[in-house]
Amino acid sequence: MHKAARFLKISIWICIVLLVAFACLLFFAIEKQPLVIAPSYQQVESADSLPALLQQLKRSIRCSHREQSIQLKAEQLNSLAGFLQRAKPAIKAQANLDYQRSLLAISYRLPNNPLGNFVNIRLWLHADQKLNIGTLQMGQLSLPGEHAIGLLTWIV
């Protein structure tokens, strides 16, 4: 009986710690204002460039066991974001590509709540021959690139 009580006490403490950590994560990740305010009709102006990108993505999925190289243009990513926004109005995204450092910004509108209405994600990418994430920022939380890749790999 003593071991069962001790196990119950440890389990309760672990649950409390996890709940507090989750509450802190929510508090720092949720914001009051959106990061991205991009109307979808402007983003889909370059929609004719999407079929080529989609073909590249399909090919990369079929050959996912090999190293891939996909050429992306800001217009393609923003058109893709515009179509995503039309399908899911709660999501807004914007890509700013540069030769040195690029930014992928996403805002997700949450249901009304007292903490805030948006989860804003910023993904800073460094110019490289491979996926080189500089920083992943979600609200006020920041993750360095190597941890962000591990997290994204775990999620996917």
Side-chain angles (χ1 to χ4, degrees):
M1 195 66 155
H2 178 66
K3 286 184 180 185
R6 185 173 180 202
F7 176 76
L8 182 63
K9 186 187 249 185
I10 290 173
S11 298
I12 290 173
W13 275 108
I14 289 173
C15 288
I16 289 171
V17 168
L18 289 174
L19 283 173
V20 169
F22 184 70
C24 289
L25 180 70
L26 282 178
F27 179 77
F28 288 112
I30 296 175
E31 297 180 309
K32 303 243 184 251
Q33 298 296 321
L35 175 66
V36 179
I37 307 170
S40 65
Y41 71 87
Q42 286 179 342
Q43 291 180 313
V44 295
E45 287 177 353
S46 301
D48 56 340
S49 66
L50 280 181
L53 174 62
L54 295 176
Q55 286 300 322
Q56 284 183 346
L57 293 174
K58 283 180 186 177
R59 197 171 29 253
S60 73
I61 290 170
R62 272 183 290 183
C63 303
S64 61
H65 58 282
R66 291 188 291 174
E67 190 172 306
Q68 302 290 321
S69 177
I70 298 175
Q71 300 294 321
L72 296 173
K73 296 178 183 168
E75 296 84 24
Q76 290 174 318
L77 286 176
N78 287 324
S79 290
L80 197 57
F83 282 112
L84 177 66
Q85 184 176 326
R86 285 185 174 184
K88 296 284 186 184
I91 299 174
K92 295 196 185 300
Q94 181 75 39
N96 296 317
L97 301 182
D98 191 83
Y99 288 107
Q100 296 299 316
R101 189 172 169 181
S102 300
L103 171 68
L104 177 63
I106 302 168
S107 291
Y108 179 74
R109 184 171 187 62
L110 299 170
N112 289 337
N113 66 72
L115 293 177
N117 295 327
F118 298 92
V119 173
N120 292 316
I121 300 170
R122 294 168 193 87
L123 185 62
W124 292 98
L125 303 168
H126 295 294
D128 202 342
Q129 294 298 320
K130 59 181 178 159
L131 181 62
N132 187 349
I133 297 176
T135 307
L136 172 68
Q137 187 175 0
M138 190 164 133
Q140 298 173 12
L141 302 172
S142 270
L143 268 174
E146 58 273 2
H147 297 303
I149 290 174
L151 177 66
L152 291 173
T153 304
W154 179 73
I155 289 172
V156 174

